[in-house]
Amino acid sequence: MPPPLWLAQARARCSLPSPAASAAPLSARGGADAAGRGSDQLALACPSHSGGRIHTERVAAWLSGLGLDDGDLRCGAHLPGDPAERKRLICSDESPCQVHNNCSGKHAGFLTLKRHMNAGPEYVEIDHPVQRAVRRAFEEVTGETATGWGIDGCSAPNFACTVEGLAHAMAGFARPGAGARGWAQRRLVEAMLAHPELVAGEGRACTELMRAMQGRAAVKTGAEAVFVGIVPERGLGIALKIADGGTRGAEAAITALMVHLGLLEEAHPVVQKYLTGPMRNWRGLATGELRRAEGFPS
């Protein structure tokens, strides 16, 4: 039998600025407090959001409060995943802005930290003080030395770790210690649990799973079918990576683990949606079914 997914030694490019890499130094160094950031902005620093108005208006207001605007971001622009905002842009022939980028909240956090550190504007450069702080935080929470890094779709460096290291990091967020780091970890998890709609968006697995668990656990997706979980009541951190990069597999796996831990009832609609329900074609006909692989937790 293969080792548990969260102990597998597969390398993972993960959006660890969900909360561990970017938002933790922002909060721990006092940048968030100095800029007057509330829990909704901290939640927005941990997302891969859908680019809906609920996200873009908050990010734009965040930037404005810093005396900055869309042009100060370095994440790039793309059409949002949010259906209503995507339709509005297409029908109005309006181009998306950088605030529509799914990582714009994370980048607003970078800019807040940059300002707090009185550093230069190119905050995504690998040798920038912001990214040096991110790397230190990353290595502290994972307990690993980053063996390399790659550039994410949002242009920020992503540092390499094992899935085991990623789970170790999430466990730290589930049972934060004393001092500045523990305070920051606790605050970020509380923000995610208070604002699941800002971490992802309507119809997204992260948001729907956190709502269904009613504050008992935070979950977050990452690039190439990475998923993490933070379970404060158990002091448990979870990380998984689906080898083929398939999002549907990652969503099913994290849902199965939440059921296994007793955080979700098997009959809950969100479980049926991501784990046990039928697969339907465009006419609504059931053409297959989702089910756990043999040996997977149940």
Side-chain angles (χ1 to χ4, degrees):
M1 178 181 291
L5 288 172
W6 56 93
L7 293 179
Q9 294 294 311
R11 293 285 165 178
R13 279 187 60 215
C14 43
S15 296
L16 194 55
S18 76
S22 65
L26 167 66
S27 187
R29 286 171 173 263
D33 289 333
R37 297 304 99 194
S39 64
D40 56 341
Q41 286 90 353
L42 289 177
L44 271 174
C46 302
S48 296
H49 66 66
S50 298
R53 298 298 288 271
I54 190 174
H55 309 109
T56 60
E57 290 178 353
R58 280 175 167 82
V59 174
W62 185 347
L63 294 174
S64 178
L66 295 171
L68 303 173
D69 59 25
D70 194 82
D72 292 291
L73 295 169
R74 298 291 184 267
C75 52
H78 61 73
L79 279 170
D82 179 79
E85 182 64 1
R86 188 183 184 95
K87 180 179 179 179
R88 185 189 73 80
L89 289 172
I90 292 172
C91 291
S92 64
D93 200 27
E94 181 181 337
S95 297
C97 300
Q98 291 190 92
V99 294
H100 290 102
N101 188 294
N102 62 306
C103 292
S104 65
K106 177 177 76 179
H107 281 249
F110 283 150
L111 283 167
T112 304
L113 182 57
K114 174 197 80 69
R115 178 175 177 176
H116 184 66
M117 300 173 77
N118 195 28
E122 301 306 322
Y123 61 86
V124 294
E125 297 297 326
I126 190 65
D127 59 350
H128 191 279
V130 166
Q131 296 307 324
R132 291 202 299 267
V134 168
R135 181 167 187 158
R136 284 193 298 272
F138 177 91
E139 293 181 337
E140 288 172 3
V141 297
T142 60
E144 298 180 358
T145 299
T147 56
W149 53 276
I151 300 300
D152 201 350
C154 71
S155 296
N158 267 357
F159 300 101
C161 72
T162 64
V163 177
E164 182 178 14
L166 183 55
H168 182 271
M170 296 304 105
F173 280 84
R175 50 172 186 270
R181 184 201 296 175
W183 176 82
Q185 290 172 316
R186 186 176 297 106
R187 193 169 176 208
L188 288 163
V189 173
E190 289 173 353
M192 293 177 71
L193 294 174
H195 304 282
E197 71 284 354
L198 299 182
V199 175
E202 299 303 326
R204 297 274 303 282
C206 300
T207 295
E208 293 188 334
L209 287 168
M210 282 193 282
R211 282 177 175 164
M213 291 184 287
Q214 300 181 328
R216 298 180 69 189
V219 295
K220 170 69 174 65
T221 189
E224 296 299 316
V226 170
F227 231 111
V228 297
I230 301 167
V231 189
E233 67 184 54
R234 303 278 189 92
L236 179 66
I238 298 168
L240 62 88
K241 167 75 171 79
I242 302 301
D244 67 3
T247 298
R248 185 168 65 191
E251 293 173 347
I254 196 70
T255 302
L257 288 168
M258 296 300 105
V259 172
H260 175 68
L261 292 170
L263 301 172
L264 281 173
E265 294 292 333
E266 184 89 32
H268 195 287
V270 76
V271 177
Q272 297 176 24
K273 178 175 180 178
Y274 293 110
L275 181 62
T276 61
M279 299 172 65
R280 299 186 181 276
N281 67 10
W282 294 114
R283 288 183 60 204
L285 300 176
T287 58
E289 64 181 5
L290 295 168
R291 61 176 180 267
R292 300 179 187 88
E294 184 178 349
F296 200 84
S298 61

